[in-house]
Amino acid sequence: MPDSENPATPVTFPPAFLWGAATSAYQIEGAVREDGRTPSIWDTFSHTPGKTVGGDHGDIAVDHYHRYRDDVALMAELGLGAYRFSMSWSRVQPTGRGPAVQKGLDFYRRLVDELLAKNIKPAITLYHWDLPQELEDAGGWPERDTAYRFAEYAQIAGEALGDRVEQWITVNEPWCSAFLGYASGVHAPGRTDPVASLRAAHHLNLAHGVGASALRSVMPARNTVAVSLNSSVVRPLSQDPADLDAVRRIDDLANGVFHGPMLHGAYPESLYRATSSLTDWDFVLDGDLELINQPLDALGLNYYTPSLVSAADVSAKAPRADGHGASDHSPWPAADDVAFHQTPGDRTEMGWTIDPTGLHELIMRYTREAPGLPLYITENGAAYDDKIDSDGRVHDPERVAYLHGHLSAVRRAIADGADVRGYYLWSLMDNFEWAYGYGKRFGAVYVDYATLERTPKTSARWYGRAAQTGTLPEVEAV
């Protein structure tokens, strides 16, 4: 299958390109009450009636805590070269304060050792949304102290694993933590306060900065520190000036609020103006921007679908088609007069339009935004309604086509001069998909939730061949 955007683009990737898969702790580990682990905000949220589809929760998830050796063996069988996983803060440092629990750290030590024994590079994400509940009870991310608690946790993790793990990511998708967690309330902790969400965004930025410094203070200089952002590709419905202004405002809230201070040491002035009716940003203290603006060794980009926006009549009542769940409260502070529209094209089970051109656009934007900074695609993937056939196989040609299209976009970006060094498929296996429970399957490996048996889907075999050869097999070959 030729590259539909540019048939001349080579399909061979650089020899050092990392082919990986990604997961997060609460979505796969289970064992929520074992070995000293205390509740996180997602334990609390998922056990609150009405917060997740079917009342689903991660108490068992896919039991990776007990099955990690089998899961690593499966990665090795598929030929993956890297595995990005997150640590559970409350498993390592119960309640988010005080000394580490060695049994919690030992789990991650065993996992890392198993990966290294199979020649799979571990990449650790320190924070993938599972704040210890006691820190939320003390105010959560809207409170400044939470950032400094995170730095202590980062130091614990770096001291324990920095000798064997070279790739580190501070926080994953801080936009979701701040705005879905504290503005729209569709994610844990389920709060709906737009001012709190902006405070949370700043303190997540601060956590990244002080966390990066804490990691570097205890790790070998060879190790790399990055952050993973779900930066949005925001497009206008028309070229009308009002629609273009809507793009700028959403771009500030989706992207500039994080990459501004992280990459450039400043928030966009237009963000301050647009949110002035809510806050004067007095929670940004002297010296904060310098703390946040730490040198990065790489930038992780997570991409699923573009956004299409226009100016809107605030009196018009219509569902907000931004792809971030249903809520009467917006995750976009001070932007109620912006409308989101469904982009045209085929969609995944999440209702997200499939558009590889957005991934190419995103990569090239950050190639310009941060010249010289290596990039990784730390999440990209699709949910489909996968079923086991009568012969015990899971055939998912839609996902194969999705991966081929998006990996082709990555290869085009490399050909266009982008320094993209790896790709982490989301996700290694089906798991607890946050507020959607177990109803959305993103995995390359099918999980029978009754038996927890793992079955590689057609896409897993296809992706494994790509990882082993550095080229994209034909879609028709699956």
Side-chain angles (χ1 to χ4, degrees), residues 11 17 37 52 64 73 161 177 190 260 286 337 342 430 447 474:
V11 294
F17 191 83
R37 183 189 180 278
T52 65
H64 177 70
L161 294 163
S177 292
D286 288 346
D337 55 347
Q342 280 278 13
D430 297 334
V447 178
E474 295 292 330

Side-chain angles (χ1 to χ4, degrees), residues 385-471:
D385 186 20
D386 304 312
K387 308 288 187 185
I388 291 189
D389 294 340
S390 57
D391 60 1
R393 298 178 61 216
V394 182
H395 191 51
D396 58 340
E398 301 91 350
R399 185 175 287 103
V400 173
Y402 180 100
L403 294 177
H404 191 285
H406 286 77
L407 281 161
S408 295
V410 173
R411 188 62 191 88
R412 285 198 304 278
I414 294 172
D416 290 341
D419 185 10
V420 186
R421 299 194 180 179
Y423 176 95
Y424 290 88
L425 167 65
W426 187 270
S427 175
L428 173 65
M429 54 191 161
D430 297 334
N431 54 47
F432 175 75
E433 186 49 42
W434 306 114
Y436 294 96
Y438 294 98
K440 305 294 184 185
R441 294 182 178 270
F442 275 89
V445 174
Y446 183 90
V447 178
D448 182 324
Y449 294 125
T451 65
L452 298 179
E453 181 179 356
R454 277 80 156 138
T455 302
K457 304 173 188 178
T458 301
S459 60
R461 304 296 183 192
W462 182 91
Y463 185 66
R465 287 205 295 278
Q468 292 172 51
T469 64
T471 62

Side-chain angles (χ1 to χ4, degrees), residues 195 271-281 333-335:
V195 176
L271 174 65
Y272 286 145
R273 291 194 298 271
T275 57
S276 61
S277 61
L278 295 174
T279 177
D280 61 3
W281 292 75

